[in-house]
Amino acid sequence: MRSLIDINDLSTEEINHLIATANDIIANPDKYAEKCRRKKLATLFYEPSTRTRLSFESAMLELGGSVIGFSEANSSSSAKGESVADTARTVSCFADIIAMRHPKEGAPMVASLAASIPVINAGDGGHNHPTQTLTDLITISREKGRLDNMTVGVCGDLKFGRTVHSLINAMSRYEGIKFVMISPEELTIPDYVMQDVLQKKNIPYTETRSLEEAMPDLDILYMTRVQRERFFNEADYIRLKDSYILTPEKLQNAKKDLAILHPLPRVNEISTAVDADHRACYFKQVLYGKYIRMALIMMLLEVEE
Ligand code: CP
């Protein structure tokens, strides 16, 4: 039995296989409509979510399975003090697979050690969000036709942005990837990502405060939200929240085949005027997320493809 807690739990071959399966699901949805018949997914969400929870739930429903779960901690017995481990053991009696989001780093890992069914980390604090990374990878692969030889700009909150940390980790596995880190001084990428991933693997990167300066070089622009919920000090959040706002004017110097991604939700960092630009991929990204989660559920349940 396998869980997915960190993107490093998957080999590059497995990631490529998941993308290929998701592409096949997109091309032949009927072939997969009964693959998880009689299987149940439990979505245990201790933190708010729109895309990840509903995407997991639609993924299981489209595989012919069913869904149970809770969408806020207060509607579960954790409000009475039940531990994550006891919850995971309990839910193992009712479901075949768990998707868990939790504000505390490491909570899905604790759940996976207690559960007797696979656990998928659907986001743990500022730490990891591996299924968002799979979503980002399939989006880049479909939009660019490759995952190698690209300049990837990551912009916004690079300190607390769990999706950025996992994306850098995953994209670093492919040949010819360069990163441009665009952030305010206070929200730069953590040292452990710099040292353990970029420097260790000798991946070229530059750092800048200016989105406009970086723009002409980019093949991918990955925008992120400055996350109010990660700040201890509201004044710092207010000062930093609008550091970068992508507008049609700022895209004037961008490549014609740039792909703009964002894990969403957005607040103010991409003007809605950008949504009509052919380079805006963030709503397609949401849709691809469902297909890659279908592929992942099948893999972890060891359902024959
Ligand atoms: N991208 C993402 O995790 O969105 P939600 O918080 O809505 O799930």
Side-chain angles (χ1 to χ4, degrees):
M1 184 197 74
R2 275 183 84 179
S3 289
L4 176 65
I5 303 301
D6 187 301
I7 196 68
N8 288 327
D9 295 339
L10 294 170
S11 68
T12 308
E13 290 69 33
E14 285 173 323
I15 290 175
N16 293 340
H17 177 73
L18 286 170
I19 292 173
T21 305
N23 283 330
D24 194 52
I25 296 170
I26 293 168
N28 307 290
D30 291 348
K31 204 169 115 186
Y32 294 87
E34 297 288 322
K35 290 286 184 190
C36 286
R37 206 160 69 85
R38 298 187 187 282
K39 300 283 186 194
K40 268 182 264 170
L41 164 75
T43 49
L44 312 184
F45 275 58
Y46 295 79
E47 203 183 47
S49 165
T50 296
R51 272 147 296 276
T52 311
R53 185 171 65 82
L54 297 181
S55 156
F56 266 116
E57 295 188 354
S58 12
M60 191 47 140
L61 295 173
E62 289 191 26
L63 290 166
S66 48
V67 177
I68 57 172
F70 53 82
S71 57
E72 54 177 324
N74 277 341
S75 66
S76 78
S77 283
S78 80
K80 302 178 213 161
E82 184 164 59
S83 68
V84 162
D86 282 0
T87 302
R89 282 188 75 167
T90 302
V91 173
S92 300
C93 302
F94 307 138
D96 300 284
I97 187 164
I98 291 171
M100 175 182 283
R101 170 169 292 187
H102 203 286
K104 283 203 182 130
E105 285 86 354
M109 165 64 92
V110 170
S112 73
L113 296 174
S116 55
I117 58 177
V119 175
I120 303 172
N121 179 0
D124 60 332
H127 192 218
N128 268 309
H129 193 350
T131 62
Q132 181 63 50
T133 308
L134 292 172
T135 299
D136 301 339
L137 293 175
I138 186 175
T139 305
I140 293 170
S141 155
R142 286 184 69 90
E143 293 301 311
K144 305 295 291 181
R146 65 185 193 281
L147 283 169
D148 54 9
N149 295 305
M150 269 183 276
T151 300
V152 181
V154 287
C155 177
D157 176 3
L158 309 187
K159 180 177 179 185
F160 299 112
R162 59 191 173 197
T163 62
V164 171
H165 306 163
S166 300
L167 181 68
I168 290 173
N169 209 317
M171 294 272 334
S172 299
R173 301 172 184 209
Y174 297 90
E175 289 290 316
I177 297 295
K178 291 184 210 156
F179 290 101
V180 184
M181 318 285 186
I182 309 149
S183 75
E185 184 77 44
E186 295 89 336
L187 296 177
T188 54
I189 206 93
D191 283 348
Y192 79 89
V193 180
M194 282 294 191
Q195 285 157 14
D196 297 354
V197 184
L198 297 169
Q199 290 166 6
K200 197 168 171 183
K201 293 186 181 169
N202 239 344
I203 309 291
Y205 68 89
T206 54
E207 290 186 277
T208 175
R209 308 282 161 254
S210 166
L211 175 58
E212 288 87 336
E213 248 176 59
M215 191 69 86
D217 294 329
L218 304 181
D219 298 297
I220 304 290
L221 173 57
Y222 193 89
M223 294 294 295
T224 62
R225 171 175 68 100
V226 175
Q227 302 172 82
R228 174 180 240 138
E229 63 272 33
R230 309 281 174 232
F231 280 81
F232 293 112
N233 181 337
E234 179 76 2
D236 284 346
Y237 167 72
I238 289 172
R239 186 168 49 80
L240 294 169
K241 70 184 173 68
D242 291 331
S243 299
Y244 301 99
I245 301 176
L246 185 63
T247 58
E249 295 69 41
K250 289 187 186 151
L251 283 167
Q252 276 171 5
N253 291 332
K255 290 186 181 172
K256 296 283 172 260
D257 64 347
L258 171 74
I260 307 163
L261 278 70
H262 189 310
L264 302 182
R266 77 170 142 193
V267 182
N268 207 23
E269 58 282 355
I270 301 183
S271 151
T272 53
V274 174
D275 296 358
D277 192 298
H278 71 278
R279 294 166 288 192
C281 299
Y282 29 91
F283 287 109
K284 281 193 257 183
Q285 196 178 348
V286 175
L287 182 60
Y288 297 147
K290 178 183 71 176
Y291 296 115
I292 200 85
R293 288 183 176 101
M294 289 171 78
L296 177 67
I297 289 169
M298 286 196 298
M299 175 192 268
L300 297 181
L301 288 179
E302 298 178 4
V303 171
E304 273 203 23
E305 287 160 28

